[in-house]
Amino acid sequence: MLILITYDVSTVDSAGRKRLAKVAKKCTDHGQRVQNSVFECILDSTQFRRLKYELEELIDKKEDSLRFYNLGDNYKKKVEHIGAKETYDMESPLIL
Amino acid sequence: MLILITYDVSTVDSAGRKRLAKVAKKCTDHGQRVQNSVFECILDSTQFRRLKYELEELIDKKEDSLRFYNLGDNYKKKVEHIGAKETYDMESPLIL
């Protein structure tokens, strides 16, 4: 299933930027970065539970916000894009 | 249905910040800002088409990226949150 992960943190300080980098690394290990703080990951239920747990360990729960959206298995028609192409493909190959 | 809208723009320059403000205003007129560049809107098909068209007019398509995720009508179990509570509630009351 497609799990969309969005992450919000103040990246004004270096600690926040480091946390964002760690979250991004963790998510792109499991999928694709499509916007600065938006990641699309193809996961099964077990992988999803594990990734959630691992991300929870990385963030500062008082400062940061993580949201997960489950788009299910038939997600292709549920996603639309307008504007500039994502520039993150080169950094993190799409794994589907 | 719940439409998730994510927006990516370089807010380093003031033109980008202005575009983000306009996109945020347009989206919060139809729903709720849950993260800095993530908006949840409850829309029917006609409203969704219109909002997409209006947002397309606001962004710089060469610079900015807009993504739409259709979570359908039974979206409540598809959304999870970890960490800091969204701080945008006060600006834009939740309309469900």
Side-chain angles (χ1 to χ4, degrees):
Chain A
M1 59 201 179
L2 176 66
I3 303 294
L4 184 75
I5 304 173
T6 66
Y7 179 58
D8 212 6
V9 67
S10 168
T11 50
V12 173
D13 67 15
S14 68
R17 284 193 293 273
K18 278 182 196 166
R19 291 197 303 277
L20 176 59
K22 284 183 188 173
V23 168
K25 171 73 171 66
K26 179 61 71 185
C27 292
T28 51
D29 283 348
H30 294 85
Q32 186 183 29
R33 188 175 202 167
V34 293
Q35 289 180 345
N36 192 41
S37 298
V38 179
F39 308 89
E40 292 179 0
C41 303
I42 305 294
L43 304 169
D44 63 30
S45 307
T46 308
Q47 291 168 325
F48 180 32
R49 262 200 310 278
R50 191 186 309 140
L51 182 58
K52 254 194 301 192
Y53 173 78
E54 290 173 349
L55 290 173
E56 207 169 335
E57 298 292 296
L58 291 179
I59 68 167
D60 178 341
K61 278 190 247 178
K62 286 185 188 149
E63 297 289 333
D64 306 341
S65 154
L66 260 178
R67 290 177 81 84
F68 301 90
Y69 297 89
N70 188 339
L71 276 290
D73 290 322
N74 298 313
Y75 54 83
K76 287 190 181 171
K77 286 189 179 167
K78 298 176 185 169
V79 184
E80 288 180 65
H81 178 88
I82 294 176
K85 289 285 167 197
E86 46 268 51
T87 54
Y88 303 104
D89 289 4
M90 305 310 287
E91 293 177 289
S92 54
L94 178 61
I95 301 161
L96 285 180
Chain B
M1 59 202 180
L2 176 65
I3 303 294
L4 183 75
I5 304 173
T6 66
Y7 178 59
D8 212 6
V9 67
S10 168
T11 51
V12 174
D13 67 15
S14 68
R17 285 193 293 275
K18 277 182 198 166
R19 292 197 303 275
L20 176 59
K22 284 183 188 173
V23 167
K25 170 75 170 65
K26 179 62 70 185
C27 291
T28 51
D29 283 348
H30 295 85
Q32 186 184 28
R33 189 176 201 167
V34 293
Q35 288 180 345
N36 192 41
S37 299
V38 180
F39 308 90
E40 291 180 0
C41 303
I42 305 294
L43 305 169
D44 63 29
S45 308
T46 308
Q47 290 168 325
F48 179 32
R49 262 200 310 276
R50 192 185 309 140
L51 182 57
K52 254 193 302 190
Y53 173 78
E54 289 173 350
L55 290 173
E56 208 170 335
E57 298 291 297
L58 291 179
I59 68 168
D60 178 340
K61 278 190 246 177
K62 286 185 190 150
E63 298 287 333
D64 307 340
S65 154
L66 259 178
R67 289 177 81 84
F68 301 90
Y69 297 89
N70 188 337
L71 276 289
D73 290 322
N74 297 313
Y75 53 83
K76 287 190 181 172
K77 287 189 178 166
K78 298 177 185 168
V79 184
E80 288 180 65
H81 178 89
I82 294 176
K85 289 285 167 199
E86 46 267 51
T87 54
Y88 303 104
D89 289 5
M90 305 310 287
E91 293 176 287
S92 54
L94 178 60
I95 301 160
L96 285 179

